[in-house]
Amino acid sequence: MELGKIISRIDSFRDEMIDFQIQLCAIPAIAPSSGGEGEAQKAEVLLDHLKKNGFSRVEVIKAPDLDAPTDYRPNILARYEGKNSSKTIWIMTHMDIVPPGELAQWKGDPFKAWVEGGKIYGRGVEDNQQDMVASLYAVKAFREEGLKPNYDIGIALVADEETGSEKGIDYVLKHSNAFRKQDLIIVPDAGNEEGTMIEVAEKSLLWLKFRTEGKQAHGSTPEKGINSFKAASFLVTELNKLYNVFPDKDALFDPPISTFEPTKKESNVPNINTIPGEDVFYMDNRILPRYTVDEVIKAINTMTAKIEKEFKVKITLEETQKAPAAPPTSSDAPVVLALKSAIQDIYKKEGKATGIGGGTVAALFRRAQFEAACWAKLDETAHQPNEYCIIDNMMGDAKVFAHIFLQE
Ligand SMILES: [Zn+2]
């Protein structure tokens, strides 16, 4: 009953794990571009933990960053030896945190973590320390039980996740060949309250700005002008037809369809009695990977051309953001099956491979042809005031990781 022993051992670490959370929280690893000093100090504490806990190979990949006091951003790759080195089970978490935001909205000091009602409160305690600490103590349980995991374990502690990963996992993937095709890569940085969501795919993202130019005139003589707002409004209803042009459903995703929504609207004339000569609105499109972003743009161009002709306006389209979806991790990839089996045994719930509309850092692995999956049991309080980590989630996730380390 190796799993039973490991689980009791993890339970015995409860207070130590809470203390480690509090210690990490006191070192705010905020990106220099968000007004902080980066992850170097936090990395020192983590390196110390890795050294004391039997990790055989610990490397620090330094991404240059002249805005950081140390001139670099640290990325740690630590290996713990298993019975067999033919594959590595990787768990990647990020060291950086987002700023606390308005302090008045916090019940306490965001960097002096406190425990209340089974939760630890503080900036970074859920995103991403909950599973960072869980992964480190899952490994520690093997060491203290004198048990070897079946395969090597890799703990990746990266920088710069919150501001684009350029100096984080993106840099690591470009400057290291630590990851292999057969490795299992788990990124516990997305999830749901039940711990059932295994994120494997994402939609393409396309943000557009529409500028419609007509001709300004007095409100009483619309025939002397061209009402840009009216033309843009017809365009909005025309664009709603994108739902019919790209109607496919994919049950992997929630929601299962591509979405095409007008969102932000810039103000036009300040007074009621002027026909507006210019109108600007934006659109947020989330496109299922089966459609290309370019075919959607082509369809949109046909719609704008129709409105231009009908209303004699000029419409210019600007791509504010365009991020084609990474190739999805398949729903029966080894990493997904390993997570499902562990979630079933530890949380008594059925894990489900899911696609989401927003991007995760796992996409960087997928673009580099690795089948990574995002999973954690989370309340999703990340980036909010009074961010918290449910202590039982931290403990449970550690057991899920340990379960995977014991799988054949
Ligand atoms: Zn995160």
Side-chain angles (χ1 to χ4, degrees):
M1 237 3 258
E2 292 184 329
L3 182 64
K5 282 186 191 169
I6 292 285
I7 285 176
S8 328
R9 181 63 71 168
I10 290 171
D11 282 330
S12 78
F13 293 146
R14 191 179 180 98
D15 289 345
E16 205 181 318
M17 289 167 77
I18 295 168
D19 286 346
F20 199 42
Q21 270 270 31
I22 294 169
Q23 191 189 353
L24 291 173
C25 184
I27 317 163
I30 296 171
S33 62
S34 305
E37 297 192 344
E39 304 83 358
Q41 244 194 305
K42 191 166 177 175
E44 287 309 316
V45 172
L46 289 160
L47 284 166
D48 187 54
H49 175 97
L50 295 167
K51 274 174 205 143
K52 284 180 183 151
N53 286 284
F55 282 80
S56 53
R57 258 191 301 158
V58 180
E59 54 178 318
V60 181
I61 297 174
K62 298 175 175 177
D65 186 348
L66 296 178
D67 293 328
T70 46
D71 291 346
Y72 68 87
R73 307 285 291 279
N75 293 281
I76 303 169
L77 299 181
R79 249 64 70 89
Y80 190 87
E81 211 178 287
K83 289 179 197 160
N84 183 326
S85 295
S86 64
K87 68 180 174 192
T88 304
I89 318 292
W90 286 98
I91 298 175
M92 186 193 91
T93 51
H94 61 87
M95 293 183 278
D96 58 317
I97 59 161
V98 293
E102 231 184 293
L103 291 176
Q105 297 207 33
W106 284 79
K107 292 189 285 178
D109 185 335
F111 300 121
K112 286 192 182 122
W114 71 96
V115 177
E116 198 184 304
K119 296 169 181 163
I120 309 168
Y121 287 83
R123 174 57 85 228
V125 295
E126 188 185 47
D127 180 20
N128 200 200
Q129 282 159 214
Q130 172 183 304
D131 285 78
M132 176 185 288
V133 173
S135 65
L136 291 170
Y137 279 82
V139 176
K140 191 176 166 121
F142 279 82
R143 181 171 159 82
E144 299 218 347
E145 281 298 324
L147 279 173
K148 266 199 168 189
N150 279 338
Y151 296 95
D152 287 356
I153 298 169
I155 298 290
L157 308 169
V158 299
D160 197 30
E161 193 276 334
E162 301 292 1
T163 45
S165 291
E166 197 193 326
K167 297 168 183 78
I169 190 59
D170 193 24
Y171 187 88
V172 174
L173 285 166
K174 285 176 181 146
H175 293 85
S176 150
N177 38 31
F179 303 101
R180 296 171 295 175
K181 299 285 169 234
Q182 68 271 28
D183 292 352
L184 301 195
I185 302 170
I186 301 164
V187 182
D189 198 22
N192 63 4
E193 276 177 44
E194 293 79 40
T196 53
M197 189 185 91
I198 303 168
E199 191 267 335
V200 293
E202 59 191 36
K203 295 175 188 174
S204 297
L205 178 90
L206 176 65
W207 288 353
L208 295 171
K209 176 180 182 179
F210 294 83
R211 179 188 298 277
T212 305
E213 287 164 84
K215 193 173 170 238
Q216 190 171 310
H218 192 277
S220 62
T221 54
E223 76 284 1
K224 289 183 178 164
I226 299 171
N227 191 330
S228 63
F229 177 39
K230 188 153 86 178
S233 303
F234 276 89
L235 176 59
V236 167
T237 57
E238 188 70 24
L239 289 167
N240 201 47
K241 293 178 187 160
L242 288 166
Y243 280 101
N244 309 328
V245 181
F246 302 100
D248 283 6
K249 283 189 181 171
D250 186 336
L252 182 65
F253 286 87
D254 185 22
I257 53 168
S258 304
T259 56
F260 309 96
E261 290 295 315
T263 52
K264 182 176 166 178
K265 177 83 182 70
E266 281 182 14
S267 61
N268 49 26
V269 290
N271 53 311
I272 296 173
N273 57 347
T274 293
I275 300 291
E278 187 182 281
D279 181 273
V280 177
F281 73 91
Y282 298 77
M283 210 182 173
D284 178 326
N285 305 288
R286 310 281 168 142
I287 306 156
L288 288 176
R290 69 188 58 195
Y291 299 120
T292 69
V293 175
D294 287 334
E295 61 185 317
V296 172
I297 293 174
K298 206 177 149 205
I300 290 173
N301 280 331
T302 309
M303 292 170 176
T304 55
K306 182 181 168 216
I307 297 295
E308 278 183 317
K309 205 173 155 218
E310 238 177 275
F311 290 85
K312 297 183 174 55
V313 289
K314 187 173 177 296
I315 300 167
T316 39
L317 200 63
E318 196 185 303
E319 291 167 13
T320 307
Q321 220 194 123
K322 180 179 172 182
T329 292
S330 83
S331 297
D332 53 8
V335 65
V336 177
L337 300 180
L339 279 164
K340 277 189 173 176
S341 157
I343 294 164
Q344 183 62 253
D345 284 355
I346 302 297
Y347 284 123
K348 315 290 175 213
K349 292 260 165 73
E350 198 179 327
K352 186 175 174 285
T354 310
I356 60 174
T360 68
V361 68
L364 290 157
F365 279 108
R366 293 183 193 134
R367 284 203 186 95
Q369 314 295 325
F370 296 107
E371 291 204 295
C374 278
W375 172 86
K377 188 169 190 285
L378 292 174
D379 262 18
E380 295 187 276
T381 61
H383 302 206
Q384 294 172 23
N386 302 309
E387 173 180 350
Y388 63 80
C389 147
I390 295 178
I391 297 166
D392 285 342
N393 285 352
M394 176 170 70
M395 306 308 297
D397 287 8
K399 294 169 192 172
V400 167
F401 299 145
H403 186 289
I404 293 172
F405 299 157
L406 279 172
Q407 288 176 27
E408 281 308 319

